[in-house]
Amino acid sequence: MESLIKKFLQQNRHWACEKQHDDPAYFEKLAEGQKPVALLVGCSDSRVSPSLVLGGDLGELFIHRNIANVISHSDLNFLSVMQYAVEVLEIQHIIVKGHYGCGGVKAAMQDEAYGLIDNWLVNIKDVIEQHQSELDQILDGQERFNRLVEINVEVQIENLKHTSVYRNAIKAGRKLYLHGWVYDFSTGLIKVLKTDEPGVWEDVLATEPECTALS
Ligand code: CO
């Protein structure tokens, strides 16, 4: 079998060559600096890569990923990313992008021991505990799992609002738009759960996309 690493390196060289061909100044412009408009917090799952799913170009998204897209007030890694994004890069949007079928959320639900990661999943177990009565009312296991994925995104957005970085930005008169999304890897589509920016992009969701399969 062909080495996957070999394939990655071949693809990288091909991609760099194509980019350079399409726009000879492409890499020079990127080297000058970045001005992304959004910070995206997503899950590390290999099936939900934000740049691929959103068709984003380099320089557009500042991304932080961890298991189950958790925003933890004791996570210096995330807080540093957020501070840099908000205060230095001056991003305007923060997107929390969860996904249905999230293994991290499922593991927290099943309450099995996985070792070190159990400490991280305590964040999700807290979410379960806080929303136990709502979850208990959902009899279908799959539906309950899906709802927990959604609740987790909603809770992480609330956690965002409690960070000192967010509070300081608001105090300083900045407007930060928060968005809660859930990606469905069985359809490839994103569902918008929450947004601070109503009325701006909803028409996109109501229109058929331009797609070869539909023409
Ligand atoms: Co996940």
Side-chain angles (χ1 to χ4, degrees), residues 25 32 39 54 68 81-84 87 93 129 131 140 142-143 147 153 155 161-162 166 169 174-175 184 198 208:
E32 283 167 13
L39 163 65
L54 301 173
V81 167
M82 183 174 171
Q83 186 188 5
Y84 189 75
E87 294 179 9
H93 299 266
E129 236 176 67
H131 295 82
D140 182 78
Q142 187 60 44
E143 271 178 42
R147 182 60 194 134
V153 168
V155 169
K161 291 184 186 168
H162 291 129
Y166 183 82
R174 292 270 307 280
K175 175 69 192 157
D184 185 343
E208 286 291 346

Side-chain angles (χ1 to χ4, degrees), residues 51-109:
S51 310
L52 272 177
V53 164
L54 301 173
D57 200 0
L58 296 177
E60 290 181 345
L61 274 177
F62 205 62
I63 297 179
H64 179 85
R65 294 173 76 178
N66 61 39
I67 291 175
N69 40 272
V70 166
I71 287 161
S72 160
H73 300 128
S74 57
D75 180 1
L76 275 181
N77 183 358
F78 169 72
L79 293 174
S80 307
V81 167
M82 183 174 171
Q83 186 188 5
Y84 189 75
V86 172
E87 294 179 9
V88 180
L89 298 175
E90 298 181 326
I91 52 106
Q92 287 182 305
H93 299 266
I94 304 180
I95 303 161
V96 177
K97 173 173 163 278
H99 69 100
Y100 295 119
C102 183
V105 171
K106 193 172 192 179
M109 237 180 148

